[in-house]
Amino acid sequence: MNNLTPQDLTSSLSVLNYLLDFANANSNVQMREEVEELINQYNEVIEEPDPSDKTILPYNRRDAYSILEYLKLQAEQLSGGKWTDFSDGDIGTIFLRMLAYLADMNNFQIDKVVSELYLSTVTERASAIALASLIGYEPRHYESAYSTITMINNNEDIDIPDGVIIPKYSIFTDSANEIRFYNLEEAVYYNNKAVFDIYQGEHIAHSYTIDNITELGRIYLDEYNIGINTMSLIIDGVTWNRVDDVRYAKGNLCFSVHITVDKVLYIQLPAYWPDYVTRGTNIKLDYLLSNGEDGRVGKNVITKLGAINSQYSSNMLIKECTSSEGGYNPETVEEMKDSIPKHARTMNTIVTINDFEEVGSFVSGISDISALDYNDPASGLIQPDDYYKVYLYVLPDTENYDATDTEALKYRNTIIKDNSDWEFSDMDNVAKDVDIYSQTSVVGNTILLEGILVLYNIDNIIPAIDTGETETSYLMKRVTSFSSEPEKVEYIISSNGNNCTITLNNGWRDLLSDTDRINIYYKQEQILTDIGQKLRDYIDERRLTSLNVTYHDLTIVQPFINIEIYMNKYDINYETIDLKVKSFILNKYSRNNIKIGDPIFSSVICSDILNEFNCIRYCTVEISEDGENWSNKLEVNPTGFIDIIPNYLDGDTLIDKITINKNDYQNKEI
């Protein structure tokens, strides 16, 4: 009796048996007689069928139909075979159907509750957040899209003095005033121009006191769709920096943002917050309510100024606005299912090579990442004597935001590349600065750059020809001596003290059109964009080993594929087979299936095509990186990434880098 559990008292009979045992144990004759009488009455009312006649309902057959059939058998047995009519019009049958329905719904709710306890079966966001919190994983929340805007003076008669400020939280909109952007920092005019970043959302400002801070150092927020990359916390005039988690942050004056399972956001202050916040302390919080992915805009969509508090606002004009970057919705349940196991494996620290690769899933804006151990002899890299080193190769998120500006978008999150990997289309993204020269502004064949070598190494000065069209613009060719018949503009670069001279080959103007110009880009050893900086900060906060981490952007290779198909020309698929094969290749060899450094074999593509399409009797596949030198294999080194799907499409047709020629199999000699 001491081992009795609540489950033992789930029926009237079990309670009576318990009381009977209690009476016997205590030698209570009167109680025993009364309980025995109750048990006899119970057995007369409840006539249990013979156990051998019971039909047991399997635990995995708890749907309404199975339950109804089970209830019919039980009803027939409990009635001693008297209830055999289970027609739809019978009131008893209706009652059994209702019980079966209720039991089915109850079983569904039980299964639903159980499924929400496991990551593999969870479907509710609140449950996924709760599971993530068990291992300290913080799902991604809203992030506002941002663009870079260039403002100029639209009045040639009145200069805007250097130092004129565009106040932060000034408003910028599209032509229909349907979407708003704000600058989060003050922008300054210089030489009649101001260049700065703007973020999508609606500005919200709050003021708090010490009474708004809980004992755990939290400030709970009223809004949900807050772009956390727009949050600004100022305490008594001092700006506190946002970090991923104050528990792992280095230094003082920081805060992190978290969300509860009830979808309530809160600011978490570090443990030392009482040293800075007292009675009378002024706490100011600003942020933007974000549209997430819906807040992304294309190039030059933002064209109008809102009210700018400046006497020169009437002279200010938006000249250019880039396509937006970023802009993210909260992490979905399916995304969390992928990220949480990675976080569990690393436990918020970075030690192994796999740890370095998996951090890419925790930093928004990165599509893929590959880590190469500098100390691995198989890597072929020179091993340093004093420290370990890791190369990180990063593939930015290249989702197509603006179909009219795809070439520039492909590299919009570029982290600095080696000079040999540069393409003109990504120059504006990776160059620190640029000087622009028209043909008429160049005297003779030389360009003098005064005092430039104080800031830049001579090898990091890169001239390029800008034709105004990405496809025909190109880098100049650096030589030590000019060739007799140059293919494009050659140059020799030399130094004299801090000055630098670029000498062009004779007749360089004959290679250009009248409107072409010369752009000189100044490259720095490592220029991290917003995405690169977020990645570096994330790693620096969590790595345990002493590693020197170097960041590189990937070289994206978009190969040409030439396919010869042989089949019966009278087959019903003959007219459409080329489109079907293109679609198959795009899906089979998409970015999701091809990883960093993966090779593509023509023999494998051939085999896949023949297995997929029975109507094709024979085929050949040739792969090329440049469209001329065909090979059986396209292999990209660890710094490369094969992208079979370029960012541009030709109307409703598939990409033009896949060429398919159809042939009559009857005329093929094999």
Side-chain angles (χ1 to χ4, degrees):
M1 291 178 58
N2 293 333
N3 297 325
L4 191 69
T5 66
Q7 286 75 21
D8 296 322
L9 303 177
T10 55
S11 69
S12 300
L13 183 60
S14 63
V15 173
L16 292 174
N17 288 328
Y18 170 75
L19 295 176
L20 181 62
D21 292 339
F22 180 84
N24 291 329
N26 292 275
S27 301
N28 191 329
V29 178
Q30 182 180 355
M31 180 179 180
R32 183 181 69 246
E33 293 176 350
E34 292 177 353
V35 173
E36 287 177 345
E37 178 63 23
L38 290 173
I39 292 176
N40 291 332
Q41 295 178 12
Y42 178 89
N43 291 330
E44 291 178 1
V45 176
I46 306 297
E47 182 181 353
E48 292 283 342
D50 189 89
S52 60
D53 295 334
K54 282 187 175 182
T55 300
I56 305 302
L57 184 65
Y59 77 92
N60 60 345
R61 296 288 302 277
R62 301 300 176 97
D63 58 280
Y65 176 80
S66 300
I67 294 173
L68 178 61
E69 294 302 312
Y70 171 76
L71 291 177
K72 289 179 180 179
L73 290 174
Q74 292 295 304
E76 184 176 353
Q77 293 178 13
L78 291 172
S79 65
K82 297 179 181 179
W83 188 359
T84 58
D85 182 13
F86 296 102
S87 59
D88 292 340
D90 183 73
I91 187 65
T93 303
I94 295 175
F95 180 69
L96 292 182
R97 287 184 179 275
M98 293 175 63
L99 288 177
Y101 170 76
L102 292 174
D104 190 351
M105 291 297 296
N106 187 51
N107 288 328
F108 172 79
Q109 295 297 334
I110 294 173
D111 294 341
K112 180 68 174 176
V113 170
V114 173
S115 68
E116 294 300 304
L117 300 177
Y118 300 93
L119 184 62
S120 60
T121 55
V122 67
T123 58
E124 298 295 329
R125 180 172 178 80
S127 302
I129 293 177
L131 291 173
S133 66
L134 295 177
I135 60 169
Y137 176 70
E138 191 72 31
R140 183 191 71 232
H141 193 60
Y142 279 103
E143 291 188 19
S144 291
Y146 61 93
S147 302
T148 301
I149 192 171
T150 301
M151 294 185 64
I152 61 173
N153 179 14
N154 67 344
N155 190 337
E156 298 179 356
D157 298 329
I158 302 177
D159 285 341
I160 298 179
D162 292 345
V164 167
I165 293 176
I166 300 175
K168 61 180 179 180
Y169 300 114
S170 296
I171 302 174
F172 307 86
T173 70
D174 60 344
S175 59
N177 294 320
E178 293 178 348
I179 188 167
R180 288 190 173 191
F181 278 68
Y182 295 81
N183 56 319
L184 304 184
E185 301 293 339
E186 292 181 344
V188 181
Y189 259 82
Y190 182 76
N191 286 338
N192 282 320
K193 182 173 71 172
V195 181
F196 52 96
D197 291 335
I198 54 176
Y199 291 75
Q200 184 275 323
E202 290 291 335
H203 178 219
I204 301 294
H206 290 291
S207 293
Y208 300 104
T209 65
I210 191 173
D211 296 330
N212 299 109
I213 305 177
T214 69
E215 294 180 355
L216 298 177
R218 298 176 178 178
I219 301 176
Y220 287 90
L221 308 177
D222 296 330
E223 292 86 5
Y224 175 69
N225 59 317
I226 297 173
I228 61 171
N229 60 331
T230 68
M231 302 185 75
S232 171
L233 179 65
I234 300 176
I235 299 180
D236 273 350
V238 179
T239 299
W240 289 43
N241 297 320
R242 183 179 64 85
V243 296
D244 290 335
D245 197 321
V246 294
R247 294 175 297 175
Y248 308 106
K250 300 175 182 179
N252 293 328
L253 307 183
C254 62
F255 71 96
S256 54
V257 184
H258 308 274
I259 185 170
T260 69
V261 294
D262 298 321
K263 298 174 64 174
V264 176
L265 262 69
Y266 65 88
I267 285 178
Q268 179 66 62
L269 299 177
Y272 50 78
W273 70 268
D275 298 336
Y276 294 87
V277 181
T278 59
R279 185 68 59 184
T281 297
N282 182 29
I283 305 172
K284 189 174 186 302
L285 177 66
D286 290 271
Y287 50 77
L288 301 182
L289 298 182
S290 172
N291 291 342
E293 294 179 357
D294 293 337
R296 298 169 178 171
V297 297
K299 185 176 182 180
N300 294 329
V301 170
I302 302 301
T303 57
K304 295 179 62 176
L305 302 177
I308 294 180
N309 186 17
S310 172
Q311 60 177 316
Y312 297 97
S313 59
S314 60
N315 295 352
M316 297 178 181
L317 174 69
I318 297 177
K319 178 185 179 183
E320 185 178 25
C321 180
T322 65
S323 299
S324 61
E325 300 179 26
Y328 296 96
N329 291 340
E331 193 169 355
T332 65
V333 172
E334 292 303 316
E335 289 173 334
M336 280 189 267
K337 287 182 178 180
D338 179 63
S339 299
I340 292 175
K342 294 179 181 178
H343 183 86
R345 287 193 292 269
T346 63
M347 291 310 297
N348 213 39
T349 59
I350 300 174
V351 181
T352 68
I353 284 295
N354 287 337
D355 294 343
F356 276 94
E357 292 186 344
E358 291 188 338
V359 298
S361 62
F362 306 135
V363 180
S364 56
I366 293 179
S367 174
D368 208 343
I369 187 171
S370 179
L372 182 62
D373 185 0
Y374 196 98
N375 307 274
D376 183 3
S379 69
L381 301 172
I382 299 176
Q383 302 179 42
D385 297 328
D386 54 345
Y387 53 76
Y388 285 160
K389 191 170 185 178
V390 172
Y391 276 124
L392 288 186
Y393 298 102
V394 177
L395 177 66
D397 178 4
T398 54
E399 183 177 345
N400 185 5
Y401 294 168
D402 179 11
T404 64
D405 194 25
T406 51
E407 279 300 304
L409 286 175
K410 186 167 58 179
Y411 299 97
R412 69 182 188 278
N413 291 333
T414 298
I415 301 171
I416 194 68
K417 294 174 160 188
D418 292 334
N419 185 12
S420 59
D421 293 330
W422 279 27
E423 293 183 19
F424 182 84
S425 59
D426 65 61
M427 280 295 231
D428 289 329
N429 297 44
V430 300
K432 178 64 176 176
D433 203 355
V434 59
D435 286 335
I436 301 173
Y437 298 85
S438 63
Q439 287 197 52
T440 56
S441 65
V442 179
V443 180
N445 297 334
T446 61
I447 300 175
L448 177 63
L449 307 174
E450 295 183 338
I452 205 68
L453 296 182
V454 176
L455 302 174
Y456 303 98
N457 184 285
I458 193 171
D459 293 328
N460 294 331
I461 301 173
I462 315 294
I465 301 300
D466 182 5
T467 65
E469 298 291 337
T470 301
E471 290 76 9
T472 57
S473 301
Y474 59 90
L475 299 178
M476 293 185 185
K477 183 178 181 181
R478 182 175 179 178
V479 296
T480 56
S481 61
F482 295 121
S483 57
S484 58
E485 296 182 358
E487 298 178 357
K488 61 180 181 180
V489 178
E490 299 174 342
Y491 72 96
I492 297 173
I493 188 168
S494 59
S495 61
N496 182 10
N498 290 326
N499 297 336
C500 177
T501 301
I502 295 177
T503 304
L504 309 178
N505 55 300
N506 290 327
W508 61 273
R509 286 184 171 84
D510 297 336
L511 300 174
L512 308 180
S513 68
D514 294 337
T515 58
D516 290 345
R517 63 187 186 182
I518 297 175
N519 291 351
I520 298 178
Y521 296 92
Y522 300 97
K523 167 190 168 186
Q524 288 190 338
E525 286 304 316
Q526 191 170 59
I527 304 169
L528 291 178
T529 60
D530 178 57
I531 299 303
Q533 189 64 53
K534 287 168 64 176
L535 175 62
R536 182 165 67 180
D537 292 344
Y538 190 92
I539 290 177
D540 287 345
E541 289 179 1
R542 290 164 176 80
R543 60 182 178 179
L544 296 182
T545 54
S546 299
L547 293 173
N548 182 14
V549 181
T550 301
Y551 305 84
H552 298 268
D553 192 27
L554 294 177
T555 301
I556 300 178
V557 177
Q558 297 177 339
F560 291 82
I561 300 179
N562 186 35
I563 303 174
E564 296 285 342
I565 292 174
Y566 295 85
M567 58 184 292
N568 186 345
K569 67 180 300 183
Y570 299 106
D571 190 283
I572 190 173
N573 296 303
Y574 190 78
E575 294 300 324
T576 59
I577 193 65
D578 48 351
L579 293 178
K580 292 180 179 179
V581 172
K582 279 188 178 182
S583 179
F584 170 73
I585 291 176
L586 291 175
N587 293 328
K588 179 75 174 181
Y589 298 95
S590 66
R591 177 169 294 174
N592 294 330
N593 299 325
I594 300 178
K595 303 303 180 184
I596 295 175
D598 278 358
I600 295 181
F601 292 91
S602 61
S603 58
V604 175
I605 296 179
C606 260
S607 175
D608 289 339
I609 292 175
L610 292 174
N611 289 334
E612 180 70 16
F613 302 97
N614 295 328
C615 58
I616 299 178
R617 304 290 300 278
Y618 182 80
C619 73
T620 62
V621 175
E622 293 177 310
I623 306 172
S624 142
E625 187 173 344
D626 55 16
E628 296 178 359
N629 299 320
W630 299 95
S631 63
N632 292 324
K633 173 185 175 183
L634 177 63
E635 186 173 21
V636 180
N637 59 29
T639 68
F641 183 88
I642 299 173
D643 189 1
I644 204 71
I645 307 179
N647 284 332
Y648 52 87
L649 299 175
D650 182 14
D652 295 330
T653 64
L654 299 175
I655 63 170
D656 57 6
K657 291 200 173 186
I658 299 179
T659 304
I660 297 182
N661 298 316
K662 296 180 289 187
N663 303 277
D664 187 356
Y665 178 73
Q666 303 300 326
N667 298 327
K668 173 65 179 175
E669 295 182 4
I670 302 177

